[in-house]
Amino acid sequence: MTQTAHGVEFNQQLSATPKSAEERAAILANPGFGNYFTDHTAVVDYSVDEQGEGGWHNARVEAYGPISLDPSAAVLHYGQEIFEGLKAYRHADGSIWTFRPEANAARLNKSARRLALPELPEEYFLGAIRELVQADKEWVPAGDGEALYLRPFMIATEAFLGVRAAREVSFRVIASPAGNYFGGELKPVSIWISREYARAGRGGTGAAKCGGNYAASLIAQQEAEANGCKQVLFLDHFNDDAVEELGGMNVFFVMKDGSLVTPALSGTILEGVTRSSVMQVARDMGREVTERKITLDEWRDGVGSGEIAEVFACGTAAVITPIGVLKDTTEFIGSEDAKAGETTMAIREQLLGIQTGTVPDTHGWLTRLA
């Protein structure tokens, strides 16, 4: 057993066949995104006893590998599943840090409540990522823009076919070395407008980070890729085509006066950790930030008049990505020759600087893992 700084014991069941240093070096030379995984996974189990009392137990770090599930496991039939995403960064002195993990732990529990899953105490969440990174610290890349992507997730594992909340659940964390999400040089991306599909609806799971939301977005994402776009924009077709979010990122508009506007949270938009961090960084720079309804018409007219000077998307995986063109079969807003905007890049550099340790962390956002 090892005692973590958060007071939770994790049993160490380390892999007998970890990747060799040579194999690991070959992977880290060109990791891509989500293509390779480290040697271990952190796991915590949950179950309800005969008295109806539920609890988390059997915290451990074990070899990465397939999960054994009964064919009737609830996650396979009713989609009781949630997940998170955060990164571990190697700083110049070799230490390893992560960014605002408490916010991810809180959002995981918000998602858990919506999906009728048990809430996970923060100390288990923080302990799991710390123990996994310490076991696999050699997997954390040191290249520019690179990090170890951490994927905590929770699945309903109980074997039954009745429609009710599962009484057996597994929380796990896996890790993947990550390069640039969109690959290559950072430049503005093209975004496809989804006219037919919605990501989420009122009263649904849009504010939760669950697999079903992403599954529902994939057909629109395929349509985007078929039309040469990197991402898809979802609108609220019952609310004046209000801008919601991309398939996996929040949207920001930089106005000509230097202020920022982002769609207000409405229950159908995911409350991104990067989104809230961008808002704080912009305010630290003296910029006004407004959360409000912004429609496709305003986007079109604002770009045409110059009222909207820059547009960018943000999320854990890509951090900040400038948007050049928004289009579909009838629309073409922006320019394919657009350069990344000055404000977009200034916020990106400040945020990345905090994450990687080159800019002072005045908000206490960083947590050391190894």
Side-chain angles (χ1 to χ4, degrees):
M1 291 280 191
T2 61
Q3 187 79 17
T4 75
H6 299 282
V8 178
E9 289 187 340
F10 278 75
N11 186 28
Q12 299 287 328
Q13 303 169 13
L14 301 185
S15 172
T17 57
K19 291 281 194 302
S20 68
E22 292 76 13
E23 290 174 305
R24 189 172 59 246
I27 290 171
L28 293 181
N30 185 25
F33 188 90
N35 298 324
Y36 304 97
F37 299 91
T38 66
D39 296 309
H40 298 94
T41 179
V43 188
V44 190
D45 297 323
Y46 175 92
S47 59
V48 177
D49 62 22
E50 294 179 356
Q51 286 72 44
E53 297 293 327
W56 292 96
H57 55 90
N58 196 20
R60 62 197 184 275
V61 173
E62 63 186 26
Y64 180 94
I67 299 172
S68 178
L69 287 175
D70 191 282
S72 66
V75 66
L76 303 177
H77 300 271
Y78 306 121
Q80 246 191 312
E81 179 271 354
I82 56 175
F83 67 96
E84 275 298 319
L86 63 164
K87 288 178 174 178
Y89 299 88
R90 188 178 296 279
H91 288 191
D93 64 357
S95 61
I96 301 168
W97 301 71
T98 192
F99 181 75
R100 301 190 67 188
E102 298 86 359
N104 291 98
R107 190 173 64 179
L108 182 88
N109 281 334
K110 182 178 179 181
S111 298
R113 290 190 293 272
R114 181 62 184 84
L115 272 293
L117 287 162
E119 293 186 41
L120 180 78
E122 182 182 276
E123 59 266 27
Y124 279 100
F125 185 96
L126 299 179
I129 62 173
R130 184 187 301 275
E131 291 293 303
L132 178 58
V133 169
Q134 288 183 351
D136 286 337
K137 57 181 177 290
E138 299 303 323
W139 282 91
V140 182
D144 184 36
E146 296 180 339
L148 185 68
Y149 182 80
L150 304 172
R151 169 54 60 85
F153 63 101
M154 189 186 295
I155 59 174
T157 56
E158 185 182 1
F160 76 105
L161 292 180
V163 182
R164 59 165 172 77
R167 299 186 182 114
E168 294 177 8
V169 171
S170 179
F171 170 75
R172 294 170 177 261
V173 185
I174 57 176
S176 174
N180 188 300
Y181 185 72
F182 290 117
E185 178 186 357
L186 181 71
K187 55 184 179 181
V189 296
S190 298
I191 306 296
W192 183 256
I193 306 168
S194 178
R195 298 286 190 180
E196 182 176 357
Y197 303 108
R199 175 185 168 275
R202 299 293 173 87
T205 60
K209 196 169 179 66
C210 62
N213 292 344
Y214 292 80
S217 76
L218 294 179
I219 189 169
Q221 179 65 30
Q222 288 180 326
E223 187 178 79
E225 292 171 355
N227 287 276
C229 294
K230 293 286 190 181
Q231 270 281 353
V232 60
L233 172 72
F234 291 101
L235 304 170
D236 184 344
H237 300 300
F238 301 99
N239 186 25
D240 303 322
D241 279 344
V243 174
E244 295 226 301
E245 63 175 91
L246 306 187
M249 307 177 77
N250 295 116
V251 183
F252 278 85
F253 301 86
V254 181
M255 314 308 282
K256 69 178 182 181
D257 63 1
S259 65
L260 271 67
V261 174
T262 192
L265 301 176
S266 60
T268 58
I269 298 173
L270 184 68
E271 186 176 357
V273 175
T274 306
R275 174 186 181 274
S276 64
S277 304
V278 165
M279 292 169 63
Q280 185 61 58
V281 166
R283 287 172 176 144
D284 290 346
M285 293 177 169
R287 297 180 183 274
E288 180 182 350
V289 182
T290 303
E291 298 176 81
R292 65 170 174 83
K293 173 181 171 181
I294 184 166
T295 65
L296 181 62
D297 286 344
E298 184 177 354
W299 189 336
R300 180 193 307 110
D301 295 344
V303 170
S305 68
E307 182 64 28
I308 294 176
E310 306 171 27
V311 188
F312 65 86
C314 69
T316 299
V319 188
I320 290 178
T321 299
I323 295 174
V325 172
L326 179 68
K327 66 179 183 178
D328 66 3
T329 55
T330 61
E331 291 272 12
F332 195 94
I333 303 170
S335 170
E336 290 182 330
D337 298 322
K339 305 294 184 184
E342 290 184 7
T343 299
T344 298
M345 294 306 294
I347 294 173
R348 184 178 190 273
E349 289 169 11
Q350 181 74 5
L351 186 56
L352 272 174
I354 295 170
Q355 292 172 338
T356 58
T358 62
V359 170
D361 172 25
T362 59
H363 296 287
W365 283 341
L366 296 179
T367 294
R368 184 167 183 168
L369 300 178

